[in-house]
Amino acid sequence: MATVTLPPGPTTPLVVQTFHALTAPLRGIPRLRDRYGDAFTINHPVFRRAVVISDPGEVRQLLLTSPEIADNLDINLGQVLGPASLFALRGQAHRQQRKLLVPPFHGRRLVAYERIVEEETVRELATWPRDRPFATMPSMMRITLNTILRAVFGAEGAEFAELRELLPRAVTLGSRLALLPLPRVSLGGLSPWGRFWAMRRRYDEIVERLIEAAEGGGDLDAREDILATMLQSRYDDGSAMSHAEISDQLLTLLVAGHETTATTLAWAVERLRRHPEVLRELAEEVDEGGAALRQATIYEVQRTRPVIDIIGRQVRADGFQLGRWTLPRGCVVLVSIALLHEDESVFPDARTFDPHRFLDTRPDLYQWIPFGGGTRRCVGAAFANMEMDVVLRTMLRDTVLLPTGEPGERWHSRGVASAPGRGGLAVVRDRTPLAPEGSDRVTEAA
Ligand code: HEM
């Protein structure tokens, strides 16, 4: 058997490292990098011994490694999202599900969802106060929740209203429970697990109603939502997805896609207000019908403020040689997205927010990894990108976002994603008719 070689790391007991992880989850990793370099071994409260990497070559190698050697982490997600959830599947079963799920999230399909995102954004913008600060995060959460319910679940009417009320509560509770061991004995209906399972049963009933309506509606072919696509999709052996599988997968898409997209949008507001020059250029670009700088800005927001700061894999073979390290079977490897995105050899002047670095170039998908990478790369990446583009386009078109000289907002961990600490504060004004050529609208408004 190969000799195990792990990177160095702190030798403080698990309980002390757990305390640090819980009290300073986002500050801890940069501190360890300063002390031990770009790879270190930690005692993690959930994963126990884990190796954290951020060297560009080692990250690329890990993301390109086959799932037979390094695959998803073993965490409790199957209990919360259901056994058919993409997050709970590995190997062949995972490959099969992805094959059905990837097509509806690409190309022509996405254009059909733009209308929904724009409608939801216009509705929210109408509620924004004028000329006084407010947090944009709650608005962004409503836009992304409503978009997923309509575009992914195909929900409307009573089901839309019920899911909108139920799902945020269920997801908040479920994301906490996913990190805890499953109780060996039933703790009753009032325990956190008891409450979660009651919500899950209600959720499954609502989805069953949506499926029945879709199957009985006679217009399945014409429908563009992802639930309708799932009902029509077939595995290689010709069989259809079961209703339970569809229910698990829809919940997975919601959990993965709602808060992540909303948080990134709140960061976009936070960053843009602190970079008036970029904000001015973006407003001009919208007027001219362009999109290149807006796309580059989305890339740069995600590089400098990756809302999921870590992705993980678990070694499934003996003696996996990862760059300088030889890792034992079962070893957890965590990729620090934030550290990789700050690497000067990959992104020169990495601490500077500069969307122009991505102008007219697509990022390398093994170095720019806010959506993870390889066989488990985010299924909804193109959907999220479309959504963020339409929200920003509509916001820049219909309002003037005022710049600020205040210091940047701090990171705040919300469980699933890390958000700006003050919720992405904005001050907006209605847009007045286009100013004469040569004038500087954003600066004037400020
Ligand atoms: C800005 C928004 C988003 C961010 C930052 C994000 C980030 C991520 C990350 C980091 C992963 C793990 C990838 C890995 O382990 O390599 C992931 C997986 C996933 N995401 Fe996203 N995501 C976003 C939006 C969405 C949306 C809108 C959807 C669907 C509607 C979605 C669905 C998924 C699914 C299903 C997976 C699991 C993929 C698998 O295990 O095969 N995500 N996402």
Side-chain angles (χ1 to χ4, degrees):
M1 258 223 296
T3 315
V4 168
T5 334
L6 299 180
T11 49
T12 41
L14 176 63
V15 63
V16 178
Q17 293 195 37
T18 303
F19 176 77
H20 286 306
L22 295 177
T23 51
L26 298 163
R27 285 199 304 275
I29 296 259
R31 264 192 217 145
L32 290 169
R33 186 261 324 267
D34 293 346
R35 181 143 184 217
Y36 298 102
D38 62 24
F40 41 89
T41 306
I42 55 169
N43 258 326
H44 190 275
V46 176
F47 307 121
R48 297 301 169 112
R49 195 168 61 170
V51 168
V52 181
I53 62 168
S54 58
D55 169 77
E58 286 168 359
V59 172
R60 181 182 293 268
Q61 186 198 340
L62 181 73
L63 295 178
L64 285 167
T65 298
S66 84
E68 282 68 37
I69 295 177
D71 203 351
N72 217 17
L73 301 173
D74 283 329
I75 43 176
N76 237 345
L77 283 171
Q79 290 301 330
V80 171
L81 299 174
S85 161
L86 263 197
F87 285 118
L89 297 175
R90 295 216 308 263
Q92 177 62 8
H94 175 254
R95 268 195 290 277
Q96 275 183 343
Q97 279 292 310
R98 263 190 89 104
K99 221 170 147 185
L100 295 195
L101 277 183
V102 170
F105 280 106
H106 284 92
R108 192 178 50 79
R109 272 310 182 85
L110 290 184
V111 179
Y113 302 138
E114 286 195 14
R115 184 185 49 81
I116 295 181
V117 182
E118 186 168 338
E119 276 173 21
E120 293 299 335
T121 310
V122 167
R123 197 200 318 269
E124 274 303 319
L125 293 180
T127 70
W128 285 9
R130 274 27 185 184
D131 291 308
R132 66 179 168 83
F134 67 98
T136 50
M137 187 69 201
S139 256
M140 300 306 186
M141 288 289 275
R142 279 190 293 272
I143 293 172
T144 61
L145 176 63
N146 292 354
T147 298
I148 293 192
L149 291 181
R150 293 174 64 189
V152 177
F153 286 66
E156 48 189 43
E159 284 77 21
F160 177 80
E162 282 180 64
L163 287 170
R164 234 167 68 123
E165 182 274 322
L166 173 70
L167 282 172
R169 289 189 292 125
V171 170
T172 305
L173 182 56
S175 60
R176 290 187 189 133
L177 293 175
L179 296 176
L180 300 174
L182 201 61
R184 285 169 200 271
V185 286
S186 165
L187 300 174
L190 292 179
S191 70
W193 277 106
R195 283 190 290 128
F196 177 75
W197 278 317
M199 291 184 198
R200 175 71 213 227
R201 279 192 297 277
R202 216 180 120 211
Y203 161 79
D204 285 330
E205 284 160 20
I206 302 171
V207 171
E208 194 52 46
R209 290 201 323 255
L210 286 175
I211 293 177
E212 274 169 23
E215 285 180 333
D219 61 346
L220 209 50
D221 277 349
R223 278 180 51 158
E224 272 162 343
D225 53 272
I226 286 175
L227 175 125
T229 315
M230 285 182 184
L231 282 169
Q232 296 172 87
S233 59
R234 294 291 175 266
Y235 293 110
D236 288 344
D237 67 1
S239 61
M241 285 177 83
S242 71
H243 291 190
E245 282 173 334
I246 291 179
S247 196
D248 288 359
Q249 231 52 272
L250 290 174
L251 186 57
T252 301
L253 296 172
L254 179 114
V255 168
H258 167 211
E259 189 169 322
T260 44
T261 314
T263 322
T264 309
L265 281 165
W267 275 120
V269 168
E270 191 272 355
R271 289 292 78 200
L272 288 179
R273 290 192 70 212
R274 284 154 183 87
H275 296 86
E277 195 47 38
V278 179
L279 191 49
R280 190 181 54 75
E281 279 184 65
L282 284 171
E284 278 169 14
E285 186 187 66
V286 161
D287 290 343
E288 287 155 13
L293 183 63
R294 196 164 61 249
Q295 179 59 73
T297 302
I298 293 171
Y299 290 148
E300 183 68 343
V301 169
Q302 290 195 275
R303 181 187 74 80
T304 52
R305 295 295 184 274
V307 298
I308 305 278
D309 46 346
I310 275 188
I311 52 167
R313 302 288 184 266
Q314 197 148 7
V315 177
R316 308 279 169 194
D318 292 322
F320 169 42
Q321 188 71 43
L322 177 62
R324 298 159 286 172
W325 322 107
T326 313
L327 310 178
R329 183 186 285 273
C331 181
V332 166
V333 189
L334 303 175
V335 176
S336 170
I337 300 177
L339 291 188
L340 176 63
H341 285 184
E342 279 179 11
D343 190 313
E344 287 284 329
S345 70
V346 182
F347 300 106
D349 201 9
R351 295 284 173 113
T352 303
F353 177 82
D354 178 15
H356 295 93
R357 71 173 80 235
F358 289 119
L359 205 54
D360 299 323
T361 50
R362 291 166 75 86
D364 176 325
L365 296 186
Y366 294 96
Q367 296 181 335
W368 177 87
I369 56 164
F371 292 113
T375 54
R376 307 214 67 116
R377 184 168 191 267
C378 176
V379 167
F383 185 93
N385 188 75
M386 172 279 297
E387 207 177 346
M388 295 188 288
D389 182 58
V390 176
V391 173
L392 292 179
R393 184 182 72 202
T394 313
M395 184 184 83
L396 291 160
R397 185 194 67 198
D398 295 357
T399 65
V400 179
L401 180 63
L402 301 195
T404 177
E406 287 176 13
E409 294 186 34
R410 289 166 179 260
W411 291 92
H412 164 68
S413 174
R414 290 172 52 100
V416 175
S418 297
R422 300 176 73 197
L425 280 189
V427 179
V428 298
R429 282 186 190 159
D430 284 326
R431 264 195 92 169
T432 44
L434 276 189
E437 217 161 277
S439 71
D440 180 343
R441 192 187 50 244
V442 171
T443 317
E444 270 174 12

